[in-house]
Amino acid sequence: QSIKSVMPTAAKKAGLAAEAAAGVGEIEVASFVPAKLLPQMADAAGWEYRSSILWVDDQLGKSTARGSMDSASAPHVIAGAEMVALFSKGAWRRDPPGPSDLAHDEWLEWTSGVWRFPGETQAWEGHPAPFPYELPRRLLKLLSFPGDTVLDPFVGSGTTALAACRLAREFMGFDRSPASCLSSPPPHSP
């Protein structure tokens, strides 16, 4: 399923208020959504763009797939960073707020808009888009409260599910790939 087809359904199921995060990076798959189209698609589905986080992962820049070596003939620029776009349905502010598990130092660092931590170094079980446990952990603590329900319409091998459970969030997820749903996060996940 593509983001384009999932966003309207997620907007309907989200109730009166919800927050969403979508990563946009160097993913080379047929359903890749260019960064410039994501806010338009989200808006059409009832989500409002709020902000972006720049996730700096220097491992992304180590790829050798950069076009013709040492030539100006069709270079392919690889950014060592990904954008994580933040959206909401309804008000951005949660009233009344729940009990937060976000520490003051986390809040200060994570609201700067630039996150620096390494990406996933091993694509377990051949998964095409692995990401580190730290990414959903930060997003869930920043955008939700303990007891909230987290929906992941691209659950893959379950890294977000693992983070949600460890952070005392309820979790619902699905994926069109049965193999991905049956796999598990890598054993080195925190």
Side-chain angles (χ1 to χ4, degrees), residues 53-59 109-110 114-120 131-136 138:
I53 296 167
L54 176 66
W55 167 34
V56 179
D57 170 13
D58 291 329
Q59 295 178 28
E109 180 184 348
W110 299 351
V114 179
W115 293 356
R116 295 180 188 278
F117 56 88
E120 184 59 55
F131 52 84
Y133 173 83
E134 184 64 12
L135 184 60
R138 287 185 185 202

